[in-house]
Amino acid sequence: MSRTRQPPLVTGISPNEGIPWTKVTIRGENLGTGPTDLIGLTICGHNCLLTAEWMSASKIVCRVGQAKNDKGDIIVTTKSGGKGTSTVSFKLLKPEKIGILDQSAVWVDEMNYYDMRTDRNKGIPPLSLRPANPLGIDIEKSKFPQKDLEMLFPGMSADFTSENFSAAWYLIENHSNTSFEQLKMAVTNLKRQANKKSEGSLAYVKGGLSTFFEAQDALSAIHQKLEADGTEKVEGSMTQKLENVLNRASTTADALFQEVLGRKDKADSTRNALNVLQRFKFLFNLPLNIERNIQKGDYDVVINDYEKAKSLFGKTEVQVFKKYYAEVETRIESLRKLLLDKLLETPSTLHDQKRYIRYLSDLHASGDPAWQCIGAQHRWILQLMHNCKEGYVQDLKGTPGLHSPMLDLDGDMRPSVLGHLSQTASLKRGSSFQSGRDDTWRYKTPHRVAFVEKLTKLVLSQLPNFWKLWISYLNGSLFSETAEKSGQMERSKNIRQRQNDFKKMIQEVMHCLVKLIRGALLPLSIPEGGVRQYGGWEVKSELSGQWLAHVIQTIRITYESLTALEIPNDMLQTMQDLILDLRVHCVMVTLQHTAEEVKRLAEKEDWIVDNEGLTSLPTQFEQCIIHSLQSLKGVLECKPGEASVFQQPKTQEEVCQLSINIMQVFIYCLEQLSIKPDADVDTSHLSVDVSSPDLFGSVHEDFSLTSEQRLLIVLSNCCYLERHTFLNIAEHFEKHNFQGVEKITQVSMVSLKELDHKLFENYIELKADPIVGSLEPGIYAGYFDWKDCLPPTGVRNYLKEALVNIIAVHAEVFTISKDLVPRVLSKVVEAVSEELSRLMQCVSSFSKNGALQARLEICALRDTVAVHLTPDSKSSFKQALEALPQLSSGADKKLLEELLNKFKSSMHLQLTCFHADSSTMMKT
């Protein structure tokens, strides 16, 4: 037979490998002119013509059959082109063995399974088919007795197809000696098998899609063939005739038994109705039972009955059941509203809130009742805080105060704390507190302090339950087991948003607490827009440092209590900032009040002088500052997490300036005391220490202080302040970690020395000027002339008078303070010696007697006050002597010595004070 076309040529096949009965698409050239032209098709030597479907001259679709060869060519034979060739090949894969539970797109012979236990084909029951080694590792049978295993695992089995399969038994029996690495490999095998099963459904659908299509085509072809059969005949098709016969048979049967069947149906209906009433009386009585149990408060019974009814009749299609179940739903909806109202009702205990939330979750209430409760509780706490503030503000304006209803939320106002504070305050100088704790203790507490105590107590009573409610909401313990499972997915979606919202709630409560306290105690720290909401305290006086310290302690206790709830620190940071600001404010106020107390110390000066020339004023000043610093001890101490009061440079500078101001205020008080007019000095309580044996003068009832004596007392106090008090105060400042103590001490010392110098100069001026002014008139009394005078017979009276005046100064100073004597007399002697030197240098000439007289008086004065000579006074005496002619004869010198001795002998008693000073200075 001659061929008019080229032989077929196969150039491609898809897929190029697969198991038997895999559908493949063959592509190539000259694959035939039509279905009838295709007369042969082999793949791997197997004839596939039966399943071949010619599509075009370049495409044929068929299924691969069973073949002996694993790999072979695709040969196409046509009438027009003859036997063809192939440039590609197909690889035949061995089919996987299909288990009894595996999905398959083709029919499986159930009578011939592959028995994996014997590794040979054997007819076995389908249910006994199971893999021999599910772990995929070598089995090592143990010698453990079977009876012991049965005792060890009672009621269990090592057969993994059994419902009571025990994995431990299976491992002991088959893998007792298997290594851990092999067991890990077995786990990997099990995971792989599980993944393979999960992917099986999709693979099954993909692999068997063509089979489904072929079955559908076959059924459609059969249907068309049946319809086409006999359509030209009068009686219609075969199926039409069959349908007509069945319809006639049904009509005849109905006509025969209609009456009997009707009566039977009616009897059955009546019987069924009675049975339903009896059987489902639970549902029919449920609405009334729900009402009764709600009135009794037995919500648990209602919920149990509702759950039972829902499970039985929730999806019923029976109208009577649907009607009664709808009535049940109406009652349950009313119960939901009732429980929600009770849940959102305030105040309420945490136990009740949890109970109502659990009921609502069991009733599957819409929305999120637990979150609604949290929101309501949050708003209630904020409202309580603002009401507390308004109650105290109204009380401060004149309404009956601490007995108002809002303030009586909790009658306990911690009297023990306030009583302790009153006792402590009574120890302070000038304190108006009483140590006793009587019926009026409430009214002694400042309104703002009482408000802070009430506010913090309110927060500590409400916030812990609020926080615990949130924790229960977060971990799901608010809900029952069933409600937890049903709502877990929904809550998990919103939990992050809920966390952010609750964090804002806590921060809002903290901000409100802090701003209310700031409005009461630190109004200047409140923004202008929040003064009306958080302020409104019309107070004229500032709280004392003692009350501020008490408030700080109260807020610290509140902070520690909130920290114990494990509230994150970032939510409580505003409280830390408030505590720091209050501590700084307390320090400032205490130092300011201390300055005011120091200013009032001048009124307490009693001018009683002790042996050292001191009054009680320096000690009172030191004690005043020490007490103030001791009252700040708790404030300055840093609790865990708190910053130092002095961490800000601005605060350091202000505290340093206030401390300097305290010292300068006291220095100013000393200055005012020194210049106080005589008429303003209260002498009713004046006295001196009569126990001192060195007192000069007499003490009697008419004793009064002169301005010079006050100057001396203040000077003595200044010296003591410089040597002791200021240094002690500096040590106390350093002990309490004050910054800039060196600057405080330095500035205070400079101011004190300036006052000391000023007062000392004033006293010297008051005492030295009269003595100096009396020298010149005394020298030239009686028209005395240095050029014409009689031989000297002794020291003249003017010098004796000057010495008596110096002795009077000595006595006055010695009476007040022995330590001031050398300093004062040295200055007086300097003034006298300078004036005497000037007078001698102004004399134009001396006679012999005049020179001897002048030398006698100069030497007498010099020798008398020798103990108090300074380099300046020595120089003045030297200049005065150099201005005199020198003694020329030994007789003059002898006369001078005799007259000096005579002077010293005659005034021995008066000059004793200078000798006493000499012996005292020698001892020192």
Side-chain angles (χ1 to χ4, degrees), residues 389 393 396 448 451-452 514-543 548 578 581-582 585 589:
K389 189 267 291 187
V393 170
L396 185 62
R448 289 177 293 169
F451 161 67
V452 173
V514 169
K515 287 181 180 179
L516 286 174
I517 296 177
R518 285 184 180 275
L521 304 178
L522 302 171
L524 297 180
S525 65
I526 295 292
E528 187 174 351
V531 173
R532 170 176 289 185
Q533 184 178 6
Y534 300 104
W537 297 86
E538 298 178 2
V539 290
K540 299 179 181 179
S541 60
E542 182 64 64
L543 287 177
L548 285 173
L578 171 65
D581 292 347
L582 283 175
H585 182 62
V589 169

Short mmCIF file of all heavy atoms in Angstrom, two decimals, residues 389 393 396 448 451-452 514-543 548 578 581-582 585 589:
data_model
loop_
_atom_site.label_atom_id
_atom_site.label_comp_id
_atom_site.label_asym_id
_atom_site.label_seq_id
_atom_site.Cartn_x
_atom_site.Cartn_y
_atom_site.Cartn_z
N LYS A 389 -12.85 65.49 95.76
CA LYS A 389 -12.27 66.84 95.71
C LYS A 389 -13.34 67.91 95.90
O LYS A 389 -13.17 68.86 96.69
CB LYS A 389 -11.55 67.02 94.37
CG LYS A 389 -10.71 68.29 94.28
CD LYS A 389 -11.40 69.48 93.70
CE LYS A 389 -11.68 69.31 92.22
NZ LYS A 389 -12.22 70.56 91.63
N VAL A 393 -13.57 70.83 98.81
CA VAL A 393 -13.53 72.24 98.41
C VAL A 393 -14.77 72.96 98.95
O VAL A 393 -14.66 74.08 99.47
CB VAL A 393 -13.46 72.34 96.87
CG1 VAL A 393 -13.68 73.78 96.43
CG2 VAL A 393 -12.11 71.86 96.38
N LEU A 396 -14.37 73.54 102.57
CA LEU A 396 -13.43 74.63 102.85
C LEU A 396 -14.09 75.99 102.69
O LEU A 396 -13.74 76.95 103.38
CB LEU A 396 -12.23 74.52 101.90
CG LEU A 396 -11.07 75.50 102.11
CD1 LEU A 396 -10.45 75.29 103.49
CD2 LEU A 396 -10.02 75.34 101.04
N ARG A 448 -6.64 70.21 102.97
CA ARG A 448 -5.92 69.61 101.83
C ARG A 448 -5.22 68.32 102.24
O ARG A 448 -5.14 67.37 101.45
CB ARG A 448 -4.93 70.62 101.26
CG ARG A 448 -5.61 71.76 100.51
CD ARG A 448 -4.62 72.78 100.02
NE ARG A 448 -4.00 73.50 101.13
CZ ARG A 448 -2.95 74.30 101.00
NH1 ARG A 448 -2.40 74.48 99.83
NH2 ARG A 448 -2.45 74.92 102.05
N PHE A 451 -7.87 65.77 102.51
CA PHE A 451 -8.30 65.40 101.16
C PHE A 451 -7.34 64.40 100.53
O PHE A 451 -7.77 63.40 99.94
CB PHE A 451 -8.38 66.66 100.30
CG PHE A 451 -8.37 66.38 98.82
CD1 PHE A 451 -9.43 65.73 98.20
CD2 PHE A 451 -7.28 66.74 98.05
CE1 PHE A 451 -9.41 65.47 96.85
CE2 PHE A 451 -7.24 66.49 96.70
CZ PHE A 451 -8.31 65.84 96.09
N VAL A 452 -6.03 64.64 100.65
CA VAL A 452 -5.05 63.71 100.06
C VAL A 452 -5.16 62.35 100.72
O VAL A 452 -5.09 61.30 100.05
CB VAL A 452 -3.62 64.28 100.19
CG1 VAL A 452 -2.59 63.25 99.74
CG2 VAL A 452 -3.48 65.55 99.37
N VAL A 514 -2.83 62.24 90.38
CA VAL A 514 -1.69 63.15 90.50
C VAL A 514 -2.13 64.60 90.32
O VAL A 514 -1.71 65.49 91.08
CB VAL A 514 -0.61 62.76 89.46
CG1 VAL A 514 0.46 63.84 89.38
CG2 VAL A 514 0.03 61.43 89.83
N LYS A 515 -3.00 64.85 89.33
CA LYS A 515 -3.41 66.23 89.09
C LYS A 515 -4.27 66.77 90.22
O LYS A 515 -4.18 67.96 90.56
CB LYS A 515 -4.16 66.31 87.76
CG LYS A 515 -3.25 66.17 86.54
CD LYS A 515 -4.02 66.27 85.24
CE LYS A 515 -3.09 66.14 84.04
NZ LYS A 515 -3.84 66.20 82.75
N LEU A 516 -5.11 65.92 90.81
CA LEU A 516 -5.92 66.37 91.95
C LEU A 516 -5.02 66.74 93.13
O LEU A 516 -5.26 67.74 93.82
CB LEU A 516 -6.91 65.29 92.34
CG LEU A 516 -8.11 65.09 91.41
CD1 LEU A 516 -8.93 63.89 91.83
CD2 LEU A 516 -8.99 66.34 91.37
N ILE A 517 -3.99 65.92 93.37
CA ILE A 517 -3.06 66.23 94.47
C ILE A 517 -2.26 67.48 94.14
O ILE A 517 -2.03 68.34 95.00
CB ILE A 517 -2.14 65.03 94.73
CG1 ILE A 517 -2.96 63.82 95.23
CG2 ILE A 517 -1.08 65.38 95.77
CD1 ILE A 517 -2.16 62.57 95.45
N ARG A 518 -1.84 67.59 92.88
CA ARG A 518 -1.10 68.80 92.48
C ARG A 518 -1.99 70.04 92.61
O ARG A 518 -1.53 71.10 93.05
CB ARG A 518 -0.62 68.67 91.04
CG ARG A 518 0.58 67.74 90.86
CD ARG A 518 1.06 67.75 89.41
NE ARG A 518 2.19 66.87 89.22
CZ ARG A 518 3.46 67.18 89.43
NH1 ARG A 518 3.73 68.42 89.84
NH2 ARG A 518 4.43 66.33 89.24
N GLY A 519 -3.26 69.91 92.23
CA GLY A 519 -4.15 71.04 92.36
C GLY A 519 -4.32 71.50 93.80
O GLY A 519 -4.53 72.69 94.06
N ALA A 520 -4.22 70.55 94.75
CA ALA A 520 -4.37 70.90 96.16
C ALA A 520 -3.07 71.41 96.77
O ALA A 520 -3.09 72.34 97.59
CB ALA A 520 -4.86 69.67 96.94
N LEU A 521 -1.94 70.82 96.37
CA LEU A 521 -0.67 71.12 97.03
C LEU A 521 0.30 71.92 96.16
O LEU A 521 1.08 72.70 96.67
CB LEU A 521 0.01 69.81 97.48
CG LEU A 521 -0.82 68.91 98.39
CD1 LEU A 521 -0.05 67.64 98.70
CD2 LEU A 521 -1.21 69.62 99.66
N LEU A 522 0.24 71.69 94.84
CA LEU A 522 1.16 72.38 93.92
C LEU A 522 0.35 73.02 92.80
O LEU A 522 0.44 72.62 91.63
CB LEU A 522 2.18 71.38 93.33
CG LEU A 522 3.06 70.62 94.33
CD1 LEU A 522 3.84 69.54 93.63
CD2 LEU A 522 3.99 71.57 95.07
N PRO A 523 -0.50 74.00 93.11
CA PRO A 523 -1.40 74.55 92.08
C PRO A 523 -0.67 75.17 90.90
O PRO A 523 -1.20 75.18 89.80
CB PRO A 523 -2.21 75.60 92.86
CG PRO A 523 -1.39 75.92 94.07
CD PRO A 523 -0.64 74.69 94.41
N LEU A 524 0.54 75.66 91.12
CA LEU A 524 1.27 76.30 90.02
C LEU A 524 1.75 75.29 88.98
O LEU A 524 2.11 75.67 87.87
CB LEU A 524 2.47 77.07 90.56
CG LEU A 524 2.12 78.24 91.49
CD1 LEU A 524 3.39 78.93 91.98
CD2 LEU A 524 1.22 79.24 90.78
N SER A 525 1.76 74.00 89.33
CA SER A 525 2.21 72.98 88.39
C SER A 525 1.09 72.47 87.50
O SER A 525 1.32 71.65 86.62
CB SER A 525 2.84 71.80 89.14
OG SER A 525 1.87 71.13 89.93
N ILE A 526 -0.15 72.96 87.73
CA ILE A 526 -1.30 72.55 86.91
C ILE A 526 -1.40 73.48 85.71
O ILE A 526 -1.32 74.70 85.87
CB ILE A 526 -2.60 72.59 87.74
CG1 ILE A 526 -2.55 71.57 88.87
CG2 ILE A 526 -3.81 72.35 86.86
CD1 ILE A 526 -2.58 70.14 88.38
N PRO A 527 -1.57 72.94 84.49
CA PRO A 527 -1.78 73.83 83.32
C PRO A 527 -3.00 74.70 83.53
O PRO A 527 -3.93 74.36 84.26
CB PRO A 527 -1.98 72.83 82.17
CG PRO A 527 -1.35 71.56 82.62
CD PRO A 527 -1.52 71.52 84.11
N GLU A 528 -3.00 75.83 82.86
CA GLU A 528 -4.06 76.81 83.06
C GLU A 528 -5.43 76.23 82.73
O GLU A 528 -6.43 76.53 83.37
CB GLU A 528 -3.78 78.03 82.19
CG GLU A 528 -4.73 79.19 82.46
CD GLU A 528 -4.35 80.45 81.69
OE1 GLU A 528 -3.25 80.44 81.10
OE2 GLU A 528 -5.13 81.40 81.68
N GLY A 529 -5.50 75.36 81.72
CA GLY A 529 -6.78 74.79 81.33
C GLY A 529 -7.35 73.81 82.34
O GLY A 529 -8.55 73.52 82.31
N GLY A 530 -6.54 73.25 83.22
CA GLY A 530 -7.01 72.25 84.17
C GLY A 530 -7.23 72.77 85.58
O GLY A 530 -7.52 71.99 86.49
N VAL A 531 -7.13 74.10 85.76
CA VAL A 531 -7.28 74.66 87.11
C VAL A 531 -8.69 74.46 87.63
O VAL A 531 -8.91 74.08 88.78
CB VAL A 531 -6.90 76.16 87.10
CG1 VAL A 531 -7.22 76.79 88.45
CG2 VAL A 531 -5.43 76.33 86.77
N ARG A 532 -9.69 74.68 86.77
CA ARG A 532 -11.08 74.54 87.23
C ARG A 532 -11.39 73.09 87.58
O ARG A 532 -12.09 72.82 88.56
CB ARG A 532 -12.03 75.02 86.14
CG ARG A 532 -13.48 74.70 86.42
CD ARG A 532 -14.41 75.26 85.37
NE ARG A 532 -14.49 76.72 85.45
CZ ARG A 532 -15.32 77.45 84.70
NH1 ARG A 532 -16.09 76.85 83.82
NH2 ARG A 532 -15.35 78.75 84.82
N GLN A 533 -10.87 72.14 86.77
CA GLN A 533 -11.20 70.73 86.99
C GLN A 533 -10.45 70.15 88.18
O GLN A 533 -11.02 69.36 88.94
CB GLN A 533 -10.87 69.93 85.72
CG GLN A 533 -11.27 68.47 85.81
CD GLN A 533 -10.99 67.73 84.53
OE1 GLN A 533 -10.38 68.28 83.61
NE2 GLN A 533 -11.38 66.47 84.45
N TYR A 534 -9.19 70.53 88.33
CA TYR A 534 -8.37 69.90 89.38
C TYR A 534 -8.02 70.84 90.53
O TYR A 534 -7.54 70.38 91.55
CB TYR A 534 -7.06 69.38 88.77
CG TYR A 534 -7.28 68.36 87.69
CD1 TYR A 534 -7.13 68.69 86.34
CD2 TYR A 534 -7.65 67.06 87.99
CE1 TYR A 534 -7.34 67.75 85.33
CE2 TYR A 534 -7.87 66.12 87.00
CZ TYR A 534 -7.70 66.47 85.67
OH TYR A 534 -7.91 65.54 84.69
N GLY A 535 -8.25 72.14 90.36
CA GLY A 535 -7.90 73.10 91.41
C GLY A 535 -9.13 73.57 92.16
O GLY A 535 -10.01 72.79 92.51
N GLY A 536 -9.18 74.88 92.41
CA GLY A 536 -10.32 75.46 93.11
C GLY A 536 -10.13 75.61 94.61
O GLY A 536 -11.08 75.93 95.32
N TRP A 537 -8.93 75.35 95.11
CA TRP A 537 -8.68 75.47 96.55
C TRP A 537 -8.34 76.92 96.87
O TRP A 537 -7.27 77.41 96.50
CB TRP A 537 -7.53 74.56 96.97
CG TRP A 537 -7.81 73.11 96.75
CD1 TRP A 537 -7.61 72.41 95.61
CD2 TRP A 537 -8.34 72.19 97.69
NE1 TRP A 537 -7.99 71.10 95.77
CE2 TRP A 537 -8.45 70.93 97.04
CE3 TRP A 537 -8.75 72.28 99.02
CZ2 TRP A 537 -8.93 69.81 97.69
CZ3 TRP A 537 -9.23 71.17 99.66
CH2 TRP A 537 -9.32 69.94 99.00
N GLU A 538 -9.23 77.58 97.55
CA GLU A 538 -9.00 78.98 97.93
C GLU A 538 -8.36 79.02 99.31
O GLU A 538 -9.04 79.12 100.34
CB GLU A 538 -10.32 79.74 97.91
CG GLU A 538 -10.96 79.78 96.52
CD GLU A 538 -12.30 80.49 96.53
OE1 GLU A 538 -12.68 80.97 97.62
OE2 GLU A 538 -12.94 80.58 95.47
N VAL A 539 -7.06 78.90 99.34
CA VAL A 539 -6.32 78.90 100.61
C VAL A 539 -5.34 80.07 100.60
O VAL A 539 -4.76 80.40 99.57
CB VAL A 539 -5.58 77.57 100.81
CG1 VAL A 539 -6.55 76.44 101.07
CG2 VAL A 539 -4.72 77.23 99.61
N LYS A 540 -5.19 80.66 101.75
CA LYS A 540 -4.30 81.82 101.87
C LYS A 540 -2.93 81.44 102.41
O LYS A 540 -1.95 82.12 102.14
CB LYS A 540 -4.94 82.87 102.78
CG LYS A 540 -6.27 83.39 102.24
CD LYS A 540 -6.87 84.42 103.19
CE LYS A 540 -8.21 84.94 102.66
NZ LYS A 540 -8.82 85.93 103.58
N SER A 541 -2.87 80.41 103.19
CA SER A 541 -1.60 80.04 103.82
C SER A 541 -1.07 78.74 103.22
O SER A 541 -1.84 77.87 102.81
CB SER A 541 -1.78 79.87 105.34
OG SER A 541 -2.73 78.85 105.60
N GLU A 542 0.23 78.63 103.20
CA GLU A 542 0.90 77.44 102.68
C GLU A 542 0.96 76.38 103.78
O GLU A 542 1.05 76.70 104.97
CB GLU A 542 2.32 77.80 102.22
CG GLU A 542 3.11 76.66 101.62
CD GLU A 542 2.46 76.16 100.33
OE1 GLU A 542 2.40 76.93 99.37
OE2 GLU A 542 2.02 75.00 100.34
N LEU A 543 0.88 75.11 103.40
CA LEU A 543 1.03 74.03 104.38
C LEU A 543 2.43 74.05 104.96
O LEU A 543 3.40 74.37 104.26
CB LEU A 543 0.76 72.68 103.73
CG LEU A 543 -0.69 72.33 103.39
CD1 LEU A 543 -0.75 70.97 102.70
CD2 LEU A 543 -1.54 72.29 104.64
N LEU A 548 3.43 68.65 104.91
CA LEU A 548 3.88 68.20 103.59
C LEU A 548 4.63 66.87 103.70
O LEU A 548 4.47 65.99 102.86
CB LEU A 548 4.77 69.26 102.94
CG LEU A 548 4.04 70.49 102.39
CD1 LEU A 548 5.04 71.55 101.95
CD2 LEU A 548 3.13 70.10 101.24
N LEU A 578 5.42 63.20 90.88
CA LEU A 578 4.71 63.97 91.91
C LEU A 578 5.45 63.92 93.24
O LEU A 578 5.61 64.95 93.91
CB LEU A 578 3.30 63.42 92.07
CG LEU A 578 2.49 63.96 93.26
CD1 LEU A 578 2.24 65.45 93.08
CD2 LEU A 578 1.18 63.21 93.42
N ASP A 581 8.47 66.18 93.09
CA ASP A 581 8.11 67.60 93.17
C ASP A 581 7.66 67.98 94.57
O ASP A 581 7.98 69.07 95.06
CB ASP A 581 6.99 67.90 92.16
CG ASP A 581 7.46 67.79 90.72
OD1 ASP A 581 8.71 67.73 90.52
OD2 ASP A 581 6.62 67.75 89.80
N LEU A 582 6.90 67.09 95.23
CA LEU A 582 6.46 67.37 96.60
C LEU A 582 7.64 67.41 97.56
O LEU A 582 7.67 68.23 98.49
CB LEU A 582 5.44 66.34 97.05
CG LEU A 582 4.01 66.50 96.50
CD1 LEU A 582 3.14 65.34 96.95
CD2 LEU A 582 3.41 67.82 96.99
N HIS A 585 9.32 70.67 97.01
CA HIS A 585 8.49 71.73 97.57
C HIS A 585 8.54 71.72 99.10
O HIS A 585 8.60 72.79 99.74
CB HIS A 585 7.05 71.53 97.10
CG HIS A 585 6.10 72.59 97.58
ND1 HIS A 585 6.24 73.92 97.23
CD2 HIS A 585 5.01 72.52 98.39
CE1 HIS A 585 5.26 74.61 97.80
NE2 HIS A 585 4.50 73.79 98.51
N VAL A 589 9.65 74.85 101.38
CA VAL A 589 8.73 75.43 102.37
C VAL A 589 9.33 75.34 103.77
O VAL A 589 9.25 76.29 104.56
CB VAL A 589 7.37 74.70 102.31
CG1 VAL A 589 6.50 75.09 103.49
CG2 VAL A 589 6.67 75.01 101.01
#
